[in-house]
Amino acid sequence: MVLSGCSDKSSDGGGGGGSELSIQPVVQVDTEGNSVEQTDSGAAADPAGDGTAQCAPTSIAMAGPLTGGNAALGINVVMGVKLALDKHNKANPDCQVTVKEFDTEGKPQVATNVIPRIVSDPSIVALIGPTFSGETKATGQILSEAGMPTLTASATNPALTENGWQTFFRGLGNDNSQGPAIANYLTKDKGYQKICVVQDNTDYGVGLAQAFTQAAGTAVDASCGVNVKEGDKDFSAAVSQLSAAAPDAIFYAGYYAESAPFVQQVRSGGITAAFVSADGSNDPEFVRQAGESAKDTVLSCPCSPAPDSFTTDYKALNGQAPGVYSVEGYDLTTILLKGIDSGKVTRPELVDFVRGYDGAGIARQYKWSDTGELANVQIWMYEVK
């Protein structure tokens, strides 16, 4: 099976000479950094089902950043949702399911105003989202108390499943799996012995940096650790600190809105150390904004690259290639549709359906623990080429 990367070719974003770069999958690894076999997408559940479903008009919601600096990450998810719905609705004229989109800008303070609108809408039976860890942390209790099935395609902070929420399901691995996988890949496969860790101030960045640091052990040089803030654009002080440290690699835990200008300034500052980041940067926008400075960046993701057939269908519907979390948005929507098609059309019924689900998707096998974590996860490593 041929897999495409998380992006198609992306033109230079101002940092290079018009060259074309894209994010290409390299290998799927376990938490020890060892290569593992990829999932056979041919066994994946089909959102079209058998075409005989009957239901009253039904809605699901998607909540995440649809505007703002990191909007591409939410848009990727909702476009995956739309592809699953398109396939389902064309095949099942007597069961039409629509998506209501809610823009949180990826900000907890905005999400706390948006999520109550979702739970108070009786036509919405489930939620794909929230997209980011911070907004999920801020609203998870509201969703749990409302009995809303909450399936996130992207929120990876490990603590989210430790809050006792009864309706939360994470559709990919958390940062306690992603952090060690990256750390072991860099120290064992790449042989890096001195790594400087840069983290932003989001729940995602802090949790990922902690998991990575613990797993990388003595390879992490604490003296060159750098903290940045969401919204920062001037990283001159950090670049000076990293230049003086002369590391083998720099690991950036955060989102592309900051990591793109960060790597530009790192390269402009003459630093040649390997630049490594994770799913928050694993998007075509990182490449577009960073331009030539993104070349050779190593990126991880508990998300999976898109098979060619998925990419073709996705492009035909959405007018662009899939990005990070597009496959997960599609798979999680497909699971909800299987529940709806089987007659599970209330929030409590869908929570029970998802809790007992065990089936293959395009990305992976989906089966959850009592806390909403996947039973089995792997991490993909990518490179910008």
Side-chain angles (χ1 to χ4, degrees):
M1 177 184 64
V2 179
L3 293 170
S4 65
C6 274
S7 71
D8 59 1
K9 289 186 175 180
S10 303
S11 60
D12 177 69
S19 64
E20 292 184 329
L21 297 169
S22 62
I23 301 170
Q24 298 295 329
V26 177
V27 64
Q28 188 174 218
V29 299
D30 59 21
T31 56
E32 298 300 318
N34 301 314
S35 173
V36 295
E37 289 293 322
Q38 63 194 39
T39 302
D40 177 11
S41 66
D46 184 350
D50 62 9
T52 63
Q54 296 185 359
C55 69
T58 303
S59 297
I60 63 173
M62 182 275 168
L66 302 176
T67 61
N70 289 303
L73 300 176
I75 291 169
N76 292 342
V77 174
V78 77
M79 286 184 172
V81 172
K82 288 177 177 178
L83 179 58
L85 292 176
D86 183 69
K87 290 186 175 184
H88 174 271
N89 291 342
K90 285 178 177 176
N92 296 275
D94 295 325
C95 183
Q96 297 294 290
V97 184
T98 57
V99 60
K100 296 184 176 182
E101 301 175 39
F102 294 84
D103 183 15
T104 65
E105 302 175 36
K107 299 176 180 178
Q109 62 270 32
V110 177
T112 54
N113 292 320
V114 168
I115 295 301
R117 290 163 46 202
I118 296 174
V119 301
S120 65
D121 185 340
S123 73
I124 296 174
V125 297
L127 169 65
I128 301 295
T131 301
F132 290 173
S133 294
E135 59 183 348
T136 304
K137 178 182 178 182
T139 60
Q141 188 62 35
I142 299 171
L143 291 160
S144 181
E145 290 176 357
M148 178 69 74
T150 303
L151 288 71
T152 181
S154 51
T156 55
N157 184 281
L160 295 176
T161 53
E162 300 171 3
N163 295 294
W165 301 335
Q166 298 301 303
T167 63
F168 179 76
F169 302 91
R170 198 195 313 266
L172 72 178
N174 67 36
D175 291 328
N176 279 345
S177 58
Q178 184 173 203
I182 311 166
N184 286 312
Y185 180 76
L186 296 182
T187 55
K188 295 178 181 179
D189 188 85
K190 297 292 187 181
Y192 297 141
Q193 298 179 15
K194 182 176 182 179
I195 304 172
C196 297
V197 175
V198 182
Q199 68 175 57
D200 72 10
N201 62 334
T202 65
D203 287 302
Y204 162 72
V206 171
L208 177 60
Q210 182 181 24
F212 176 89
T213 300
Q214 289 176 347
T218 57
V220 170
D221 186 343
S223 69
C224 61
V226 172
N227 292 297
V228 300
K229 293 180 180 178
E230 195 174 17
D232 282 354
K233 297 301 177 187
D234 180 1
F235 302 106
S236 53
V239 170
S240 296
Q241 182 178 344
L242 293 168
S243 180
D248 298 327
I250 298 165
F251 176 67
Y252 188 100
Y255 294 108
Y256 69 76
E258 290 75 39
S259 65
F262 192 93
V263 72
Q264 279 189 322
Q265 293 173 44
V266 162
R267 296 305 183 219
S268 296
I271 300 173
T272 59
F275 191 79
V276 184
S277 193
D279 54 325
S281 299
N282 193 328
D283 189 85
E285 276 297 300
F286 169 76
V287 181
R288 189 187 71 81
Q289 294 179 22
E292 191 68 19
S293 298
K295 189 171 186 288
D296 297 327
T297 293
V298 175
L299 297 166
S300 69
C301 193
C303 62
S304 293
D308 283 348
S309 59
F310 177 92
T311 298
T312 299
D313 294 342
Y314 187 100
K315 282 183 174 179
L317 180 68
N318 297 311
Q320 66 184 60
V324 64
Y325 314 133
S326 294
V327 174
E328 282 71 22
Y330 173 93
D331 276 350
L332 295 177
T333 303
T334 298
I335 292 170
L336 291 174
L337 290 169
K338 285 178 68 66
I340 293 168
D341 288 357
S342 69
K344 313 298 184 184
V345 293
T346 68
R347 294 175 185 179
E349 288 174 334
L350 281 172
V351 168
D352 288 342
F353 179 82
V354 176
R355 186 174 290 125
Y357 190 83
D358 185 359
I362 288 179
R364 62 189 59 84
Q365 188 78 10
Y366 290 91
K367 181 181 180 181
W368 284 276
S369 71
D370 291 342
T371 63
E373 294 284 13
L374 286 175
N376 184 41
V377 299
Q378 280 87 38
I379 309 298
W380 273 92
M381 303 304 301
Y382 301 78
E383 289 186 12
V384 179
K385 296 292 185 183

